[in-house]
Amino acid sequence: METQRELPKKYKKEFSHSYTLGPFPTFELLLCRPESAEAVYFEESFTERGKLSEACRAAGVPCICSKRALERISSKENCYAAGVFRKYEGRLSDMPHVALVCPSDMGNLGTILRTLRGFGIRDLALVGNGADVWNPKVVRASMGALFRMEVESFPEFSDYLNRFGEGRSLYPFMLDGGTVLTPESCPRADRYTLIFGNEASGLPPEFQNCGQSLFIDQTDAVDSLNLAVSVAIGSYLFTQKNGRPGQAESK
């Protein structure tokens, strides 16, 4: 166990590394992306320090007792363990995707990652300038599900279409969508992409011409549903209708 190491600095987007804040996402990092892990820090009073040390040993990652390091990288009180990991490039597969166009809320993004992986979807496209997927707040909100996903960024939706548009069914979710999504009306498709817009403005009008637009019915008591809730409803119905693409995978 190491005792001396340069202390990490508070996260900035331009860093080539980020942090897992909390034991659970740290264990997920060591299990799913050990090749990206650089170091793990823990508080002396952490009750699972033995389990953490063993996981670090198996992954070949330094395990360091340092309350000061935890205080520097975490604004959250009682952060008993945290990991340092190198950012890595995700690569989408040919399976079903969800595409988020300029998502702005880090909590929503983390929740979406966790939700998608729970329903067996492991491919997420991020389009345009939105929330930083590597921000520790996103990693924490995902409860480490980020490390079980493939996330790839695209400057414009046209860049995504250039790679994945051919032979794929596209379903933009819009407030003025053409088809109300229900268990009965949910389309059948082998390869599909569910497309969602920004929390405040949704998708631009031109997405009406992109595939088959869908609408989640709701009362007029609210303007719209939360983005993470909409993604949850859409991905649940599509995986129920078409099967869960990642059900047999170990990650």
mmCIF file of all heavy atoms in Angstrom, residues 108-143:
data_model
loop_
_atom_site.group_PDB
_atom_site.id
_atom_site.type_symbol
_atom_site.label_atom_id
_atom_site.label_comp_id
_atom_site.label_asym_id
_atom_site.label_seq_id
_atom_site.Cartn_x
_atom_site.Cartn_y
_atom_site.Cartn_z
ATOM 1 N N ASN A 108 -29.149 14.495 -14.690
ATOM 2 C CA ASN A 108 -29.936 13.762 -15.680
ATOM 3 C C ASN A 108 -29.061 12.817 -16.489
ATOM 4 O O ASN A 108 -29.435 11.662 -16.742
ATOM 5 C CB ASN A 108 -30.634 14.740 -16.637
ATOM 6 C CG ASN A 108 -31.937 15.274 -16.083
ATOM 7 O OD1 ASN A 108 -32.540 14.684 -15.193
ATOM 8 N ND2 ASN A 108 -32.370 16.404 -16.606
ATOM 9 N N LEU A 109 -27.912 13.299 -16.929
ATOM 10 C CA LEU A 109 -27.036 12.478 -17.751
ATOM 11 C C LEU A 109 -26.584 11.232 -16.994
ATOM 12 O O LEU A 109 -26.586 10.120 -17.532
ATOM 13 C CB LEU A 109 -25.830 13.302 -18.210
ATOM 14 C CG LEU A 109 -24.813 12.594 -19.119
ATOM 15 C CD1 LEU A 109 -25.494 11.955 -20.319
ATOM 16 C CD2 LEU A 109 -23.733 13.573 -19.568
ATOM 17 N N GLY A 110 -26.193 11.402 -15.742
ATOM 18 C CA GLY A 110 -25.793 10.251 -14.950
ATOM 19 C C GLY A 110 -26.928 9.268 -14.741
ATOM 20 O O GLY A 110 -26.754 8.048 -14.839
ATOM 21 N N THR A 111 -28.126 9.798 -14.457
ATOM 22 C CA THR A 111 -29.297 8.940 -14.265
ATOM 23 C C THR A 111 -29.636 8.189 -15.548
ATOM 24 O O THR A 111 -30.010 7.007 -15.522
ATOM 25 C CB THR A 111 -30.506 9.785 -13.819
ATOM 26 O OG1 THR A 111 -30.191 10.423 -12.583
ATOM 27 C CG2 THR A 111 -31.745 8.921 -13.636
ATOM 28 N N ILE A 112 -29.507 8.845 -16.684
ATOM 29 C CA ILE A 112 -29.772 8.197 -17.977
ATOM 30 C C ILE A 112 -28.794 7.051 -18.222
ATOM 31 O O ILE A 112 -29.186 5.968 -18.674
ATOM 32 C CB ILE A 112 -29.711 9.241 -19.107
ATOM 33 C CG1 ILE A 112 -30.945 10.152 -19.034
ATOM 34 C CG2 ILE A 112 -29.621 8.576 -20.473
ATOM 35 C CD1 ILE A 112 -30.857 11.389 -19.905
ATOM 36 N N LEU A 113 -27.533 7.257 -17.930
ATOM 37 C CA LEU A 113 -26.547 6.185 -18.082
ATOM 38 C C LEU A 113 -26.941 4.956 -17.258
ATOM 39 O O LEU A 113 -26.918 3.821 -17.737
ATOM 40 C CB LEU A 113 -25.168 6.685 -17.652
ATOM 41 C CG LEU A 113 -24.470 7.667 -18.591
ATOM 42 C CD1 LEU A 113 -23.333 8.375 -17.869
ATOM 43 C CD2 LEU A 113 -23.942 6.944 -19.825
ATOM 44 N N ARG A 114 -27.307 5.202 -16.024
ATOM 45 C CA ARG A 114 -27.700 4.108 -15.130
ATOM 46 C C ARG A 114 -28.966 3.414 -15.625
ATOM 47 O O ARG A 114 -29.064 2.177 -15.616
ATOM 48 C CB ARG A 114 -27.916 4.666 -13.725
ATOM 49 C CG ARG A 114 -28.234 3.622 -12.668
ATOM 50 C CD ARG A 114 -28.438 4.304 -11.317
ATOM 51 N NE ARG A 114 -28.708 3.338 -10.268
ATOM 52 C CZ ARG A 114 -29.021 3.655 -9.022
ATOM 53 N NH1 ARG A 114 -29.083 4.944 -8.688
ATOM 54 N NH2 ARG A 114 -29.257 2.731 -8.123
ATOM 55 N N THR A 115 -29.931 4.205 -16.090
ATOM 56 C CA THR A 115 -31.190 3.659 -16.575
ATOM 57 C C THR A 115 -30.998 2.811 -17.825
ATOM 58 O O THR A 115 -31.532 1.698 -17.933
ATOM 59 C CB THR A 115 -32.173 4.806 -16.867
ATOM 60 O OG1 THR A 115 -32.413 5.543 -15.668
ATOM 61 C CG2 THR A 115 -33.491 4.276 -17.405
ATOM 62 N N LEU A 116 -30.236 3.326 -18.785
ATOM 63 C CA LEU A 116 -30.017 2.594 -20.026
ATOM 64 C C LEU A 116 -29.350 1.251 -19.777
ATOM 65 O O LEU A 116 -29.748 0.221 -20.338
ATOM 66 C CB LEU A 116 -29.165 3.429 -20.989
ATOM 67 C CG LEU A 116 -29.807 4.699 -21.538
ATOM 68 C CD1 LEU A 116 -28.845 5.402 -22.484
ATOM 69 C CD2 LEU A 116 -31.115 4.394 -22.241
ATOM 70 N N ARG A 117 -28.338 1.270 -18.916
ATOM 71 C CA ARG A 117 -27.638 0.006 -18.652
ATOM 72 C C ARG A 117 -28.559 -0.967 -17.935
ATOM 73 O O ARG A 117 -28.495 -2.179 -18.147
ATOM 74 C CB ARG A 117 -26.371 0.252 -17.815
ATOM 75 C CG ARG A 117 -25.347 -0.857 -17.992
ATOM 76 C CD ARG A 117 -24.886 -0.935 -19.451
ATOM 77 N NE ARG A 117 -24.127 -2.156 -19.712
ATOM 78 C CZ ARG A 117 -24.634 -3.266 -20.226
ATOM 79 N NH1 ARG A 117 -25.919 -3.333 -20.494
ATOM 80 N NH2 ARG A 117 -23.877 -4.313 -20.460
ATOM 81 N N GLY A 118 -29.450 -0.443 -17.104
ATOM 82 C CA GLY A 118 -30.397 -1.306 -16.423
ATOM 83 C C GLY A 118 -31.355 -1.996 -17.378
ATOM 84 O O GLY A 118 -31.805 -3.116 -17.109
ATOM 85 N N PHE A 119 -31.670 -1.344 -18.509
ATOM 86 C CA PHE A 119 -32.562 -1.930 -19.498
ATOM 87 C C PHE A 119 -31.814 -2.660 -20.606
ATOM 88 O O PHE A 119 -32.433 -3.140 -21.561
ATOM 89 C CB PHE A 119 -33.461 -0.852 -20.112
ATOM 90 C CG PHE A 119 -34.465 -0.283 -19.139
ATOM 91 C CD1 PHE A 119 -34.818 1.057 -19.192
ATOM 92 C CD2 PHE A 119 -35.064 -1.079 -18.182
ATOM 93 C CE1 PHE A 119 -35.749 1.586 -18.299
ATOM 94 C CE2 PHE A 119 -35.984 -0.566 -17.282
ATOM 95 C CZ PHE A 119 -36.329 0.767 -17.345
ATOM 96 N N GLY A 120 -30.489 -2.750 -20.493
ATOM 97 C CA GLY A 120 -29.716 -3.530 -21.455
ATOM 98 C C GLY A 120 -29.170 -2.752 -22.630
ATOM 99 O O GLY A 120 -28.524 -3.332 -23.501
ATOM 100 N N ILE A 121 -29.420 -1.441 -22.697
ATOM 101 C CA ILE A 121 -28.851 -0.619 -23.770
ATOM 102 C C ILE A 121 -27.494 -0.104 -23.307
ATOM 103 O O ILE A 121 -27.390 0.518 -22.256
ATOM 104 C CB ILE A 121 -29.785 0.552 -24.118
ATOM 105 C CG1 ILE A 121 -31.114 0.025 -24.658
ATOM 106 C CG2 ILE A 121 -29.131 1.487 -25.137
ATOM 107 C CD1 ILE A 121 -32.144 1.112 -24.936
ATOM 108 N N ARG A 122 -26.472 -0.357 -24.092
ATOM 109 C CA ARG A 122 -25.130 0.023 -23.642
ATOM 110 C C ARG A 122 -24.460 1.071 -24.528
ATOM 111 O O ARG A 122 -23.281 1.388 -24.339
ATOM 112 C CB ARG A 122 -24.232 -1.205 -23.537
ATOM 113 C CG ARG A 122 -23.908 -1.883 -24.845
ATOM 114 C CD ARG A 122 -22.845 -2.958 -24.648
ATOM 115 N NE ARG A 122 -21.603 -2.418 -24.146
ATOM 116 C CZ ARG A 122 -20.584 -3.162 -23.720
ATOM 117 N NH1 ARG A 122 -20.677 -4.466 -23.699
ATOM 118 N NH2 ARG A 122 -19.469 -2.598 -23.299
ATOM 119 N N ASP A 123 -25.193 1.633 -25.512
ATOM 120 C CA ASP A 123 -24.609 2.587 -26.447
ATOM 121 C C ASP A 123 -25.317 3.934 -26.364
ATOM 122 O O ASP A 123 -26.521 4.024 -26.624
ATOM 123 C CB ASP A 123 -24.695 2.059 -27.879
ATOM 124 C CG ASP A 123 -23.808 0.843 -28.093
ATOM 125 O OD1 ASP A 123 -22.585 1.021 -28.235
ATOM 126 O OD2 ASP A 123 -24.339 -0.285 -28.098
ATOM 127 N N LEU A 124 -24.573 4.981 -26.013
ATOM 128 C CA LEU A 124 -25.123 6.320 -25.887
ATOM 129 C C LEU A 124 -24.325 7.287 -26.751
ATOM 130 O O LEU A 124 -23.107 7.392 -26.618
ATOM 131 C CB LEU A 124 -25.078 6.786 -24.431
ATOM 132 C CG LEU A 124 -25.552 8.216 -24.161
ATOM 133 C CD1 LEU A 124 -27.018 8.378 -24.500
ATOM 134 C CD2 LEU A 124 -25.279 8.605 -22.711
ATOM 135 N N ALA A 125 -25.028 7.993 -27.650
ATOM 136 C CA ALA A 125 -24.410 9.035 -28.473
ATOM 137 C C ALA A 125 -24.722 10.393 -27.865
ATOM 138 O O ALA A 125 -25.879 10.687 -27.562
ATOM 139 C CB ALA A 125 -24.936 8.959 -29.904
ATOM 140 N N LEU A 126 -23.692 11.212 -27.670
ATOM 141 C CA LEU A 126 -23.862 12.582 -27.189
ATOM 142 C C LEU A 126 -23.591 13.522 -28.353
ATOM 143 O O LEU A 126 -22.502 13.493 -28.937
ATOM 144 C CB LEU A 126 -22.902 12.871 -26.037
ATOM 145 C CG LEU A 126 -23.121 12.050 -24.764
ATOM 146 C CD1 LEU A 126 -22.063 12.406 -23.723
ATOM 147 C CD2 LEU A 126 -24.519 12.277 -24.197
ATOM 148 N N VAL A 127 -24.570 14.345 -28.679
ATOM 149 C CA VAL A 127 -24.473 15.212 -29.858
ATOM 150 C C VAL A 127 -24.401 16.668 -29.418
ATOM 151 O O VAL A 127 -25.218 17.135 -28.604
ATOM 152 C CB VAL A 127 -25.690 14.999 -30.784
ATOM 153 C CG1 VAL A 127 -25.599 15.906 -32.001
ATOM 154 C CG2 VAL A 127 -25.784 13.538 -31.212
ATOM 155 N N GLY A 128 -23.421 17.397 -29.976
ATOM 156 C CA GLY A 128 -23.300 18.822 -29.685
ATOM 157 C C GLY A 128 -22.626 19.090 -28.351
ATOM 158 O O GLY A 128 -22.095 18.187 -27.695
ATOM 159 N N ASN A 129 -22.648 20.345 -27.964
ATOM 160 C CA ASN A 129 -22.021 20.761 -26.707
ATOM 161 C C ASN A 129 -23.026 20.634 -25.573
ATOM 162 O O ASN A 129 -24.006 21.369 -25.512
ATOM 163 C CB ASN A 129 -21.532 22.212 -26.814
ATOM 164 C CG ASN A 129 -20.393 22.357 -27.807
ATOM 165 O OD1 ASN A 129 -19.509 21.504 -27.877
ATOM 166 N ND2 ASN A 129 -20.416 23.429 -28.587
ATOM 167 N N GLY A 130 -22.780 19.713 -24.696
ATOM 168 C CA GLY A 130 -23.682 19.509 -23.568
ATOM 169 C C GLY A 130 -22.901 19.225 -22.312
ATOM 170 O O GLY A 130 -21.723 19.584 -22.176
ATOM 171 N N ALA A 131 -23.547 18.579 -21.377
ATOM 172 C CA ALA A 131 -22.912 18.244 -20.102
ATOM 173 C C ALA A 131 -21.703 17.340 -20.325
ATOM 174 O O ALA A 131 -21.692 16.485 -21.222
ATOM 175 C CB ALA A 131 -23.927 17.557 -19.186
ATOM 176 N N ASP A 132 -20.702 17.525 -19.502
ATOM 177 C CA ASP A 132 -19.462 16.757 -19.571
ATOM 178 C C ASP A 132 -19.687 15.387 -18.948
ATOM 179 O O ASP A 132 -19.882 15.263 -17.738
ATOM 180 C CB ASP A 132 -18.365 17.518 -18.820
ATOM 181 C CG ASP A 132 -17.065 16.746 -18.703
ATOM 182 O OD1 ASP A 132 -16.872 15.765 -19.447
ATOM 183 O OD2 ASP A 132 -16.239 17.122 -17.843
ATOM 184 N N VAL A 133 -19.652 14.341 -19.781
ATOM 185 C CA VAL A 133 -19.937 12.994 -19.291
ATOM 186 C C VAL A 133 -18.906 12.518 -18.283
ATOM 187 O O VAL A 133 -19.176 11.615 -17.482
ATOM 188 C CB VAL A 133 -20.050 12.010 -20.476
ATOM 189 C CG1 VAL A 133 -18.669 11.742 -21.079
ATOM 190 C CG2 VAL A 133 -20.724 10.708 -20.052
ATOM 191 N N TRP A 134 -17.711 13.132 -18.286
ATOM 192 C CA TRP A 134 -16.647 12.695 -17.373
ATOM 193 C C TRP A 134 -16.674 13.439 -16.040
ATOM 194 O O TRP A 134 -15.891 13.115 -15.149
ATOM 195 C CB TRP A 134 -15.287 12.895 -18.040
ATOM 196 C CG TRP A 134 -15.137 12.160 -19.326
ATOM 197 C CD1 TRP A 134 -15.033 12.702 -20.576
ATOM 198 C CD2 TRP A 134 -15.101 10.741 -19.503
ATOM 199 N NE1 TRP A 134 -14.936 11.715 -21.513
ATOM 200 C CE2 TRP A 134 -14.962 10.499 -20.889
ATOM 201 C CE3 TRP A 134 -15.163 9.654 -18.632
ATOM 202 C CZ2 TRP A 134 -14.899 9.219 -21.412
ATOM 203 C CZ3 TRP A 134 -15.103 8.371 -19.148
ATOM 204 C CH2 TRP A 134 -14.967 8.162 -20.519
ATOM 205 N N ASN A 135 -17.526 14.428 -15.911
ATOM 206 C CA ASN A 135 -17.587 15.157 -14.653
ATOM 207 C C ASN A 135 -17.905 14.195 -13.509
ATOM 208 O O ASN A 135 -18.786 13.340 -13.644
ATOM 209 C CB ASN A 135 -18.653 16.243 -14.729
ATOM 210 C CG ASN A 135 -18.610 17.189 -13.553
ATOM 211 O OD1 ASN A 135 -18.929 16.835 -12.421
ATOM 212 N ND2 ASN A 135 -18.200 18.428 -13.830
ATOM 213 N N PRO A 136 -17.215 14.288 -12.383
ATOM 214 C CA PRO A 136 -17.477 13.370 -11.264
ATOM 215 C C PRO A 136 -18.937 13.345 -10.816
ATOM 216 O O PRO A 136 -19.407 12.314 -10.316
ATOM 217 C CB PRO A 136 -16.569 13.912 -10.156
ATOM 218 C CG PRO A 136 -15.442 14.558 -10.879
ATOM 219 C CD PRO A 136 -16.059 15.164 -12.110
ATOM 220 N N LYS A 137 -19.666 14.446 -11.019
ATOM 221 C CA LYS A 137 -21.084 14.456 -10.666
ATOM 222 C C LYS A 137 -21.873 13.501 -11.557
ATOM 223 O O LYS A 137 -22.818 12.853 -11.109
ATOM 224 C CB LYS A 137 -21.644 15.879 -10.777
ATOM 225 C CG LYS A 137 -21.078 16.853 -9.753
ATOM 226 C CD LYS A 137 -21.697 18.232 -9.911
ATOM 227 C CE LYS A 137 -21.122 19.209 -8.893
ATOM 228 N NZ LYS A 137 -21.696 20.582 -9.064
ATOM 229 N N VAL A 138 -21.499 13.430 -12.836
ATOM 230 C CA VAL A 138 -22.150 12.495 -13.755
ATOM 231 C C VAL A 138 -21.800 11.063 -13.383
ATOM 232 O O VAL A 138 -22.663 10.175 -13.329
ATOM 233 C CB VAL A 138 -21.742 12.787 -15.208
ATOM 234 C CG1 VAL A 138 -22.342 11.745 -16.156
ATOM 235 C CG2 VAL A 138 -22.177 14.191 -15.625
ATOM 236 N N VAL A 139 -20.510 10.834 -13.127
ATOM 237 C CA VAL A 139 -20.048 9.485 -12.768
ATOM 238 C C VAL A 139 -20.775 9.002 -11.522
ATOM 239 O O VAL A 139 -21.235 7.853 -11.458
ATOM 240 C CB VAL A 139 -18.527 9.475 -12.546
ATOM 241 C CG1 VAL A 139 -18.056 8.073 -12.175
ATOM 242 C CG2 VAL A 139 -17.789 9.965 -13.788
ATOM 243 N N ARG A 140 -20.903 9.887 -10.548
ATOM 244 C CA ARG A 140 -21.565 9.508 -9.299
ATOM 245 C C ARG A 140 -23.055 9.257 -9.516
ATOM 246 O O ARG A 140 -23.617 8.291 -8.998
ATOM 247 C CB ARG A 140 -21.352 10.586 -8.241
ATOM 248 C CG ARG A 140 -21.957 10.212 -6.886
ATOM 249 C CD ARG A 140 -21.600 11.211 -5.804
ATOM 250 N NE ARG A 140 -22.181 10.837 -4.533
ATOM 251 C CZ ARG A 140 -21.679 9.923 -3.707
ATOM 252 N NH1 ARG A 140 -20.567 9.289 -4.026
ATOM 253 N NH2 ARG A 140 -22.282 9.633 -2.573
ATOM 254 N N ALA A 141 -23.721 10.142 -10.286
ATOM 255 C CA ALA A 141 -25.149 9.962 -10.548
ATOM 256 C C ALA A 141 -25.421 8.679 -11.319
ATOM 257 O O ALA A 141 -26.481 8.075 -11.178
ATOM 258 C CB ALA A 141 -25.698 11.166 -11.305
ATOM 259 N N SER A 142 -24.456 8.246 -12.114
ATOM 260 C CA SER A 142 -24.613 6.988 -12.860
ATOM 261 C C SER A 142 -24.369 5.768 -11.991
ATOM 262 O O SER A 142 -24.612 4.644 -12.430
ATOM 263 C CB SER A 142 -23.656 6.958 -14.053
ATOM 264 O OG SER A 142 -22.345 6.567 -13.669
ATOM 265 N N MET A 143 -23.878 5.974 -10.776
ATOM 266 C CA MET A 143 -23.503 4.886 -9.864
ATOM 267 C C MET A 143 -22.516 3.915 -10.538
ATOM 268 O O MET A 143 -22.578 2.705 -10.348
ATOM 269 C CB MET A 143 -24.743 4.142 -9.375
ATOM 270 C CG MET A 143 -25.589 4.941 -8.405
ATOM 271 S SD MET A 143 -24.684 5.390 -6.896
ATOM 272 C CE MET A 143 -24.612 3.805 -6.073
#
